[in-house]
Amino acid sequence: AQSVTQLGSHVSVSEGALVLLRCNYSSSVPPYLFWYVQYPNQGLQLLLKYTSAATLVKGINGFEAEFKKSETSFHLTKPSAHMSDAAEYFCAVMRGGATNKLIFGTGTLLAVQP
Amino acid sequence: DTAVSQTPKYLVTQMGNDKSIKCEQNLGHDTMYWYKQDSKKFLKIMFSYNNKELIINETVPNRFSPKSPDKAHLNLHINSLELGDSAVYFCASSQGSGSYEQYFGPGTRLTVT
């Protein structure tokens, strides 16, 4: 069975500081991995995805994530946090195939302090 | 132009009532989904349709019935609403095979009193 674990339900950083949101996955087959962002009272927006091409994936808004098979990790980073980055971030795994079922982590709420 | 839209955005109703949530996508996608986000923000898939055919049906009470009149629409009908049904329901769509990205609607916040 596939699953994702997001370490830290709340992360707080100062504006301009490095953002690091952790995600570890469990999958018996090569996974597809995603990061989504959810701003208050809005739907989910795709930040980036890994689908077995380059292990370093660049996304929107300056975010990137690195797929590390040896560590079963797909951590999300951004060099310099902005106030507008404050939101809930979800890591998700998908096996692919006919069902395309996304399995989400429990989310990490990112707070950015001025 | 809204890619995935849902109506209504907010729905407040009493226990025992029947209600529907509508979803439409104008992306030309083949696959649509319903997800439930509970009060702790946990997201879980409920259903998925591909070209109007049900392909995912998670362990959801049969009071929930999805209906897809065409591949651009996926509606969710809920009978005999219970307090525990209170949640945010998200519709999503994807091209199906190939790109795998799912595009989400803005959500419908259902409150059962």
Side-chain angles (χ1 to χ4, degrees):
Chain A
Q2 294 178 305
S3 65
V4 288
T5 302
Q6 291 184 242
L7 295 174
S9 58
H10 291 80
V11 171
S12 182
V13 300
S14 298
E15 192 173 18
L18 171 72
V19 175
L20 171 60
L21 304 182
R22 300 178 186 274
C23 173
N24 288 88
Y25 69 90
S26 171
S27 177
S28 58
V29 297
Y32 299 105
L33 293 160
F34 304 81
W35 275 100
Y36 282 86
V37 61
Q38 184 179 25
Y39 297 102
N41 298 314
Q42 293 188 28
L44 281 79
Q45 181 181 8
L46 180 68
L47 277 176
L48 49 80
K49 65 175 180 177
Y50 166 77
T51 55
S52 73
T55 55
L56 182 62
V57 182
K58 294 188 184 299
I60 61 171
N61 302 340
F63 284 94
E64 62 181 38
E66 186 172 7
F67 174 73
K68 291 187 177 181
K69 185 178 178 180
S70 60
E71 298 177 9
T72 61
S73 68
F74 190 58
H75 302 331
L76 182 71
T77 60
K78 182 173 179 177
S80 176
H82 192 272
M83 297 295 288
S84 61
D85 294 326
E88 188 93 30
Y89 291 79
F90 293 93
C91 182
V93 65
M94 178 196 288
R95 180 171 178 155
T99 59
N100 285 9
K101 183 166 71 172
L102 271 175
I103 297 168
F104 285 91
T106 49
T108 297
L109 182 62
L110 175 67
V112 182
Q113 309 299 329
Chain B
D1 285 346
T2 303
V4 182
S5 59
Q6 295 179 228
T7 53
K9 188 168 176 60
Y10 299 96
L11 184 55
V12 181
T13 188
Q14 292 184 328
M15 284 176 54
N17 285 348
D18 302 339
K19 290 293 179 185
S20 291
I21 306 171
K22 295 186 176 183
C23 178
E24 176 181 2
Q25 54 95 3
N26 63 6
L27 298 167
H29 288 167
D30 295 326
T31 309
M32 296 184 73
Y33 312 80
W34 279 110
Y35 287 85
K36 179 180 180 180
Q37 185 175 46
D38 64 22
S39 59
K40 296 184 178 179
K41 298 287 184 78
F42 184 63
L43 275 153
K44 187 169 166 45
I45 190 164
M46 301 172 69
F47 301 104
S48 174
Y49 269 73
N50 179 267
N51 273 324
K52 303 194 297 176
E53 287 193 32
L54 182 66
I55 56 171
I56 296 175
N57 185 351
E58 294 293 290
T59 50
V60 177
N62 57 15
R63 297 182 294 104
F64 290 78
S65 54
K67 286 189 172 53
S68 182
D70 55 62
K71 73 174 192 177
H73 295 85
L74 179 62
N75 303 324
L76 183 65
H77 188 76
I78 316 170
N79 290 325
S80 303
L81 279 155
E82 300 177 357
L83 292 176
D85 297 332
S86 295
V88 181
Y89 293 85
F90 287 101
C91 178
S93 73
S94 69
Q95 188 55 45
S97 60
S99 66
Y100 301 101
E101 293 120 284
Q102 294 184 17
Y103 295 83
F104 284 75
T108 296
R109 182 174 295 276
L110 171 65
T111 303
V112 183
T113 60

